[in-house]
Every structure is written in structure tokens, then in C-alpha cells.
Amino acid sequence: MGYRGAFRFFFLVLTLLMVCGLSQAADVGRVKTSKGDVQVERAGKRIKAPEGTAIQAEDTLVTGADGSVGLSMNDNTLLSLGPNSVFVIEKFLFDGTTNKGEFESTIRRGTLSVVSGKLVKNSPEAVKFKTPSAILGARGTEFVVRVSDAGN
Amino acid sequence: MRSMRAACLMVLCGSLAACMPRPHAPAEATPDAPKAATAPAPARVEPKAAEAPVSTKTMLPPRTGPKPARKPTPEVEVVVLPEADGKVGTVLVENENGTTTLNTAFQSARVATDGTVKSASLDGTRVRENFAPALAAMPERPASYTVWFPEGQDEPTAESRKELKKILEAIRQRPAPDVTVIGHADAVGRESRNDKLSLQRARKIRTALIKLGIPADHINAAGRGAREPLYLTEKPGKAEPRNRRVEISVR
């Protein structure tokens, strides 16, 4: 294929590697406690999430009827879920030097407990916990949330 | 050239397997024709499944597309807890009916299925019972420790060495710990020397943590030289033992 062919081939490989590099998300937290049925949904696949599992932005945590899980995020935010819960980390950006960033998540179902971290101290407006019927803004505090299926 | 091509091909195969879990067939389809043929079909099927009575369907305008599923909105309850030191923070509960501010211990907001928000003051014991499984799963609080160093050295002081043993043991007992180690120096000597020294101090602690069995990629070590003193000396560039330190944070 000669010089031009090889060059184009090389360029294609480079592009692919760059795309892969971009799509590979960085770790934003870690599972510290895990009991019963705990899974993380990532890129359409569900995997078990035992203690030590690294958490990435866009992960969804799902607990079963006997499950509960606790994680700490890179900004020291602590989160935990009770049984039958679905929690989506939509966005997590944290700059360890300025302690600023952004954190958006949704509790779709179940119970969530939060101890806020450095992001709430330094970028309080950029931390949002969404629920199906309200958005919660934390200003340096501990709180719990329950999302009940309607009618229950 | 041939060997380079072979290498490229191998990398290409590897990256394709690694980052393209889905077949990329849709990308190859021409944008206009197939879309027009396939897209409206599910739109017509979905309402049929969701709305059983045929009579109501005929009354609806036929071209509105899929109706959103009529799932009732779940009820949401939020309760603010007092912190360990008794302080209470603030949570803002926001929806289309406005913003409710929660800022006293065990104050709650209940968002009903119709969006109305009711605030109440709850009993702390009951709240902790109601949320027991989630609260029990809470990870241990992050902690930080400081280790001190003699002038110009990267081994901690005798006293700090004893303390360090306890610190390392506390870190080891945590489940899956993540550790940040930041080294500092006082302002004696040249900047480049202090940068190097502060990093060496941090690395010594990092090595000790790795020996404990903590995975290397869970430990971040950095040196800040004399840039972040805890105490400022009256004259610049003077010795200050309280600035010769390594800060260890674990979560």
C-alpha cells in the first residue's frame, strides 16, 4: 500500500486510540462497604460491586432487597444506599488543588444517606442531588433521602 | 514498513475489541431512508401497549407520537441530620412549588406525589431507625494525620516514628483505603532542594503504606516544598520544625 496507505492506516489507529482514551472514564470514588446484592451498571453492563470497587462518573449503583452499599468520593463526600435503591452518578468533577468542581446525581428509588465533602464547601451551587419530584441542594451537611414508589 | 503495519494492525484489533462493545452497524446506514422507515414504527406500537382501551385511542389525535408513560411520581422524604459535633447544615428542597429550606436537626420535607411540600420536625431516634440500613452502610469518616521531620531529613523524628506506627495501623484497618500523602519542608535552603526533600518525605511514607499491603495506585504522594507553611517565621528562610511535616489523609 506504500507510503500514503501506511500513513492513513497509522492515522486511523491514532484516532481510534484517542477515542478510546477519551471514553475511558477516570475513577471518582470507591466502594467502602458492600453487603448483599450490590451491583454497578456501567456502559449497559451490570457487574457486582464488592468492597474496593472503583466508581466512575455515569455509573449507576443498584442494590437488591438485601443489599446496602457505602462509597466515598474523591472529594471526601460519603454516600450510602439502603436496600432496593437505584442511584445514578451523572457528573463528578473534582480538582484536588482548588477543591472545586461539580457533582450531579439522582436517587431514583430507595434510600440514600449523604455526608457532604469538599465540593459542597467550595462549590455549593454545583452539587445537586436530584429525585423524581424535587432537587436537593446541600450546603455542608448530613441528610437522608427516601424515594418511595407511589402508592406504597 | 511491513512490521510497522503488523504492529498497527494488532493495536487496531486490540482497541476495537476493547472500546467498541456494540456493533457499529447503525453508523454505516445512510442517514435518510432507513431512519424514516424505522423510527415511526415503535412510536405507533408503544401507545397501543400502554393504553389498553381502543376507544380512547381513536379519540386522540393520531400523530402525537408516543405518550409519556403515566407512572405516578414517587413520594420523596428528606431529613437533615445533626453532624457529629452537633452542628446542622442546610438542605434546599426545590421543585415547581418553590424552595423549602431545612436547617434544624431532624427537620424533614415530604414531597407528595402532586408536588406539594410539607415540612415537619421529626423524632431523631425514629429517623435513624427508618434509615438504619443506609446509615449502617456509611463508610468510616475520612481522617488526617501529621508526621514531623528533623531538619533536612526524610526519616520522621523519633516521636513521630512511634506515632506513625499507630497511624499506619489505623489506615490498614480501613476497608479499601485511599490515601493522599503530601510532604512539606521549612524554608531553610534552596527552593529546589526543599521541593525534592518534601517529595522524598512523602515517598518514604508511601513506601511504608505499600509495605502494609495498600495497593500503590490507591496512594497519591506529592511534595509542596516550602510553599504551604503552617507557621510563618519572622524572618524568611528560617528553620521552623512545625513546617517540616507530611500530611496523610485517608478516606
Side-chain angles (χ1 to χ4, degrees):
Chain A
M1 66 177 161
Y3 176 76
R4 260 172 79 190
F7 183 77
R8 274 164 66 184
F9 197 79
F10 199 75
F11 185 74
L12 182 71
V13 170
L14 259 178
T15 314
L16 268 167
L17 285 176
M18 273 165 69
V19 168
C20 286
L22 285 176
S23 66
Q24 203 162 52
D27 296 345
V28 299
R30 194 183 307 284
V31 172
K32 303 288 180 178
T33 69
S34 179
K35 228 169 95 179
D37 179 18
V38 179
Q39 298 187 48
V40 61
E41 203 177 287
R42 184 176 298 161
K45 281 181 191 161
R46 277 197 185 186
I47 49 166
K48 278 195 176 164
E51 183 187 303
T53 305
I55 296 299
Q56 301 176 352
E58 294 178 38
D59 277 357
T60 299
L61 280 145
V62 183
T63 60
D66 65 342
S68 66
V69 62
L71 42 141
S72 74
M73 306 299 286
N74 287 355
D75 76 317
N76 282 0
T77 300
L78 305 180
L79 305 165
S80 62
L81 302 174
N84 295 318
S85 303
V86 179
F87 179 70
V88 189
I89 294 167
E90 273 134 17
K91 199 187 259 183
F92 187 92
L93 300 166
F94 176 62
D95 180 331
T97 308
T98 61
N99 286 338
K100 287 184 179 177
E102 231 177 309
F103 183 15
E104 273 180 35
S105 62
T106 300
I107 171 89
R108 285 206 192 132
R109 185 153 66 90
T111 48
L112 166 73
S113 164
V114 179
V115 177
S116 63
K118 293 177 186 169
L119 281 175
V120 159
K121 274 197 194 111
N122 299 286
S123 319
E125 274 77 34
V127 180
K128 282 186 184 123
F129 293 90
K130 294 183 262 184
T131 76
S133 52
I135 295 174
L136 315 178
R139 301 289 181 268
T141 190
E142 300 182 26
F143 61 95
V144 286
V145 188
R146 180 190 306 275
V147 178
S148 322
D149 287 333
N152 285 0
Chain B
M1 196 49 124
R2 192 164 275 177
S3 63
M4 191 177 95
R5 267 174 58 193
C8 286
L9 195 67
M10 276 169 70
V11 175
L12 177 69
C13 290
S15 42
L16 270 175
C19 64
M20 301 228 162
R22 274 182 256 163
H24 51 289
E28 282 162 9
T30 46
D32 42 357
K35 253 187 200 166
T38 51
R44 259 181 253 123
V45 175
E46 248 176 65
K48 249 185 211 168
E51 298 162 31
V54 184
S55 55
T56 43
K57 198 189 172 257
T58 50
M59 290 164 78
L60 290 169
R63 270 296 188 177
T64 44
K67 275 204 89 180
R70 283 204 165 265
K71 248 190 176 175
T73 318
E75 194 177 273
V76 172
E77 185 188 22
V78 189
V79 191
V80 175
L81 307 183
E83 285 163 46
D85 58 3
K87 264 194 256 165
V88 182
T90 304
V91 175
L92 308 174
V93 181
E94 249 183 274
N95 72 356
E96 69 273 16
N97 293 325
T99 302
T100 307
T101 305
L102 306 179
N103 54 13
T104 61
F106 304 110
Q107 191 182 0
S108 81
R110 198 178 269 271
V111 188
T113 52
D114 63 359
T116 54
V117 183
K118 273 188 189 149
S119 185
S121 192
L122 303 182
D123 172 53
T125 318
R126 285 288 294 279
V127 172
R128 292 202 194 275
E129 270 169 27
N130 286 342
F131 287 90
L135 290 171
M138 224 15 165
E140 208 177 317
R141 301 297 157 110
S144 35
Y145 311 92
T146 308
V147 179
W148 312 98
F149 291 78
E151 179 81 62
Q153 290 181 31
D154 60 6
E155 285 289 350
T157 60
E159 207 174 312
S160 272
R161 273 206 291 269
K162 268 188 243 160
E163 203 56 39
L164 183 61
K165 265 190 188 167
K166 288 183 207 160
I167 295 167
L168 293 177
E169 184 53 27
I171 292 174
R172 199 183 61 82
Q173 286 192 349
R174 281 177 176 256
D178 289 280
V179 193
T180 306
V181 188
I182 309 286
H184 300 271
D186 67 13
V188 175
R190 283 163 58 178
E191 191 181 280
S192 61
R193 164 87 186 111
N194 282 329
D195 285 354
K196 205 177 148 197
L197 177 63
S198 64
L199 184 60
Q200 276 171 352
R201 285 171 174 166
R203 282 191 176 150
K204 275 275 160 99
I205 307 284
R206 184 174 187 267
T207 307
L209 286 162
I210 292 170
K211 270 189 197 158
L212 275 186
I214 293 166
D217 62 340
H218 294 194
I219 312 165
N220 240 318
R224 299 263 161 89
R227 285 175 199 79
E228 293 175 15
L230 278 185
Y231 296 90
L232 284 173
T233 50
E234 264 180 44
K235 282 184 187 170
K238 291 287 172 201
E240 174 50 74
R242 293 174 296 182
N243 290 337
R244 297 191 296 257
R245 68 203 194 275
V246 166
E247 288 160 358
I248 309 168
S249 317
V250 61
R251 60 167 185 271

